[in-house]
């Protein structure tokens, strides 16, 4: 009989373990920083050049998660996958527009572009939080995944259209009055609730999807806390840590989607075929 300590160690080192993903992602980020440090110098690692790269990594991981959710093999899980398609579809498209405004449009009205970029970045984080909370509450969206992808696109276009009006400037002005702090506190609270709901019954179990999703919510909540430290204490390392934690959260999210949408259905099908033989 396998000793409990060996079973626990084998669960930690299993391919679907959150610990393996976190270690690999952190190692990859460290190697990238070392490479950029040798290439661009010390300022290139701690300066603004690294932030667009980490945002791009987060978008690519989110895109992989949405792509898997569009083609899940288990029809019963399609309703839960549609939540990911809707929520993270909005997050991806708003993040792309935010990146274009924040890093790719020189020579425009600086204050207007900054307000629009801040508006879109806020909706990225709201979409991430709402999606994880709906997953924790086991919300299911009926219908084909492509329909919800179209809905995500329509919502993103609506938010982009709103970014052209006076709303972003009003939100930016209201942020000085405490709106930004209220948003940070709300996001941290909702993400912590989502993490607690998903982890409370699976920390010692084998339900890999819920465990990975729960740790992804923890990573996103820690990212918001780091962003709060940067906002109120003006600590640049906290901003870098916030981006790194979001990359870890998206990596865990993609792993959870891959395990639930592809790996587990294939394993069940293989077991059924073996029993039939």
């Amino acid at each position: 009989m396998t000793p409990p300590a060996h079973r626990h160690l084998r669960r930690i080192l299993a391919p679907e373990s959150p610990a393996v993903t976190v270690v690999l992602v952190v190692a990859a980020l460290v190697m990238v920083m070392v490479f950029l440090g040798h290439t661009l110098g010390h300022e290139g690692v701690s300066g603004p050049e690294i932030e667009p790269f980490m945002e791009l990594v987060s978008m690519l991981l989110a895109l992989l998660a949405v792509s898997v959710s569009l083609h899940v093999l288990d029809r019963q899980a399609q309703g839960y996958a549609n939540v990911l398609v809707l929520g993270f579809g909005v997050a991806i498209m708003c993040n792309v527009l935010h990146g274009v405004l924040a890093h790719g449009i020189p020579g425009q009205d600086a204050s207007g572009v900054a307000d629009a970029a801040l508006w879109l970045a806020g909706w990225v984080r709201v979409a991430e939080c709402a999606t994880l909370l709906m997953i924790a509450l086991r919300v299911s969206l009926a219908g084909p995944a492509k329909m919800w992808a179209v809905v995500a696109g329509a919502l993103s276009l609506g938010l982009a259209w709103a970014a052209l009006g006076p709303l972003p400037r009003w939100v930016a002005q209201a942020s000085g009055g405490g709106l930004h702090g209220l948003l940070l506190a709300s996001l941290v609270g909702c993400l912590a609730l989502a993490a607690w709901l998903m982890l409370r019954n699976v920390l010692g179990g084998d339900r890999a999807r819920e465990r990975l999703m729960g740790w992804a919510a923890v990573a996103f909540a820690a990212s918001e806390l780091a962003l709060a430290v940067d906002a109120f204490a003006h600590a640049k390392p906290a901003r870098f840590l916030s981006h790194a934690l979001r990359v870890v959260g998206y990596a865990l999210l993609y792993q959870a989607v891959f395990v639930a949408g592809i790996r587990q259905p294939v394993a069940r099908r293989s077991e059924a075929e073996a029993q039939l033989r």
Side-chain angles (χ1 to χ4, degrees):
M1 198 169 187
T2 307
H6 289 179
R7 287 201 302 267
H8 185 64
L9 180 62
R10 189 167 61 182
R11 185 182 294 118
I12 292 176
L13 298 178
E16 65 273 10
S17 170
V20 173
T21 300
V22 172
V23 170
L24 291 176
V25 171
V26 171
L29 290 176
V30 169
M31 287 189 292
V32 168
M33 288 193 312
V34 170
F35 171 76
L36 290 177
H38 285 292
T39 305
L40 303 174
H42 178 70
E43 293 182 357
V45 177
S46 57
E49 290 84 359
I50 194 67
E51 293 182 9
F53 168 76
M54 299 184 77
E55 289 178 1
L56 178 62
V57 174
S58 298
M59 283 189 289
L60 290 175
L61 289 169
L63 185 60
L64 287 172
V66 171
S67 299
V68 173
S69 300
L70 285 169
H71 304 91
V72 293
L73 300 177
D74 189 351
R75 292 185 178 274
Q76 294 181 349
Q78 186 62 63
Y80 301 109
N82 290 341
V83 175
L84 277 167
V85 171
L86 175 62
F88 284 99
V90 172
I92 291 169
M93 285 179 271
C94 288
N95 210 352
V96 169
L97 295 172
H98 160 74
V100 171
L101 291 175
H103 309 293
I105 303 184
Q108 299 294 325
D109 178 20
S111 62
V113 170
D115 292 342
L118 181 64
W119 164 267
L120 291 169
W123 281 108
V124 170
R125 293 153 54 205
V126 168
E128 293 166 349
C129 177
T131 303
L132 288 169
L133 188 59
M134 286 192 293
I135 292 172
L137 295 174
R138 299 185 178 276
V139 175
S140 178
L141 299 177
K146 292 182 179 180
M147 179 188 73
W148 290 107
V150 172
V151 173
L155 288 175
S156 302
L157 288 175
L159 293 172
W161 179 79
L164 301 176
L167 271 177
R169 187 177 299 275
W170 179 84
V171 170
Q173 292 173 352
S175 296
L179 182 60
H180 191 203
L182 179 61
L183 175 63
L184 284 170
S186 301
L187 291 176
V188 171
C190 291
L191 288 167
L193 175 61
W196 178 75
L197 289 172
M198 287 186 279
L199 290 175
R200 60 178 178 175
N201 295 323
V202 301
L203 283 176
D206 295 324
R207 286 181 286 179
R209 177 183 179 273
E210 286 81 0
R211 187 167 62 251
L212 288 164
M213 288 282 190
W215 286 115
V218 170
F220 280 109
S223 173
E224 293 297 330
L225 284 174
L227 200 60
V229 171
D230 174 62
F232 297 106
H234 303 288
K236 290 184 178 180
R239 187 174 185 85
F240 174 82
L241 179 61
S242 175
H243 284 284
L245 287 168
R246 290 184 77 245
V247 172
V248 172
Y250 272 116
L252 290 168
L253 178 74
Y254 168 66
Q255 187 182 11
V257 171
F258 181 83
V259 167
I262 294 180
R263 183 172 179 178
Q264 289 179 348
V266 169
R268 288 195 295 266
R269 184 172 298 178
S270 299
E271 291 175 3
E273 290 176 353
Q275 291 176 358
L276 286 175
R277 284 197 296 270

